[in-house]
Amino acid sequence: ARDPGHLQLLFTDDLRAWASKAACSDSCSEEDKKFLSREMAHAKALVWDRKGLHHEGDGSSPGLEAAEVEEEEEEDAVTAASAETVVEAEGGTEDVSHPGAVTDAEAIARRLWHCSAVVGLHPDQAAGAIADFAVARGQPFAVVPCCVYASEFPTRKLPDGTPVRNYEQLLEFVASRAPGGARRQTLDFEGKNVVVYWSPGWASSVEATSAQAHASSEAVRNASDDEQDHLPNSLCGEQGSVE
């Protein structure tokens, strides 16, 4: 087994487009490398506190609602003691946050574009982007959403047109990005702990069932009344349910 590599980057549309271009090329151009350096510097300058993710020296965090700030404070209070215990157990103040840092541009592009799954644990603004990226690449995803950032994403809507304004709606929104529907599971830890997960095989199963039902319907519609008496049950609408 090996430790996973660490990439300190924001999961933006520009980064995903860069990874697609760079991963499909024989080598990264100087412009590709400069783009990556800018993105890494931008991410490194960010800090997280009770007001959300923002650049150091800038106390604002667009999109994080007052109620979410309060809820984050409550969750921080619950987990603070255990976090301190972990730091003490690992011995001292050594910076071990990024032991597997990866800096090679070509390697980063390949890891992003050819990953086997995409996972987000409290990914803030990237919750929807993770699902969209995984679906576009045909890879499984698992996301544990946290803050909604409703004002930062005013155009987010559920399939029925309802704006995404609260946590339950955010869970529904992430699940709705997946063809065939994603599933949910409550995880065993404090705070926001619902994981929304999806596998490409589920979409294929739903599509195959839909196609079979459509073919059966067409067969029944085109058959004469006398012919229908001799059709097998599978062509007469007696389809099994799919979980």
Side-chain angles (χ1 to χ4, degrees):
R2 62 179 182 177
D3 293 334
H6 181 270
L7 309 175
Q8 189 171 356
L9 291 164
L10 295 179
F11 201 61
T12 63
D13 289 338
D14 287 343
L15 179 68
R16 295 192 293 276
W18 171 85
S20 172
K21 174 178 173 290
C24 296
S25 303
D26 293 333
S27 61
C28 286
S29 66
E30 287 303 312
E31 186 58 36
D32 288 334
K33 294 176 181 178
K34 289 179 181 178
F35 168 84
L36 182 62
S37 295
R38 289 194 300 269
E39 290 297 298
M40 295 182 77
H42 179 68
K44 190 174 182 179
L46 291 169
V47 295
W48 171 262
D49 59 23
R50 66 185 183 84
K51 293 183 179 180
L53 191 64
H54 57 85
H55 282 94
E56 195 166 6
D58 176 12
S60 64
S61 179
L64 192 61
E65 310 298 333
E68 292 180 307
V69 171
E70 183 177 349
E71 192 168 2
E72 287 292 325
E73 288 177 338
E74 293 176 356
E75 292 177 5
D76 287 346
V78 172
T79 58
S82 60
E84 290 173 3
T85 302
V86 170
V87 171
E88 291 174 2
E90 295 194 349
T93 59
E94 181 182 357
D95 181 8
V96 294
S97 58
H98 311 313
V102 181
T103 57
D104 179 73
E106 294 174 24
I108 289 174
R110 288 194 299 270
R111 290 191 184 202
L112 284 172
W113 201 245
H114 299 297
C115 63
S116 58
V118 190
V119 179
L121 177 59
H122 289 195
D124 291 305
Q125 296 98 319
I130 287 173
D132 290 343
F133 176 79
V135 169
R137 296 290 302 128
Q139 304 291 6
F141 74 78
V143 181
V144 183
C146 49
C147 300
V148 180
Y149 289 93
S151 61
E152 192 167 339
F153 296 97
T155 61
R156 276 180 175 173
K157 289 182 172 58
L158 299 179
D160 65 0
T162 302
V164 177
R165 294 289 181 266
N166 58 48
Y167 180 65
E168 178 60 31
Q169 290 169 341
L170 177 60
L171 294 174
E172 292 182 32
F173 173 78
V174 174
S176 72
R177 314 306 290 173
R183 301 175 186 176
R184 293 193 202 179
Q185 183 71 39
T186 300
L187 303 179
D188 186 19
F189 60 79
E190 298 290 340
K192 297 293 195 305
N193 60 355
V194 177
V195 58
V196 181
Y197 60 103
W198 175 80
S199 172
W202 301 344
S204 300
S205 175
V206 170
E207 290 170 359
T209 301
S210 177
Q212 181 184 15
H214 178 73
S216 299
S217 177
E218 287 296 316
V220 172
R221 184 178 297 110
N222 294 331
S224 66
D225 292 340
D226 290 337
E227 289 174 328
Q228 287 190 42
D229 293 337
H230 302 287
L231 288 173
N233 287 339
S234 62
L235 295 181
C236 292
E238 296 184 9
Q239 299 293 324
S241 62
V242 178
E243 296 296 331

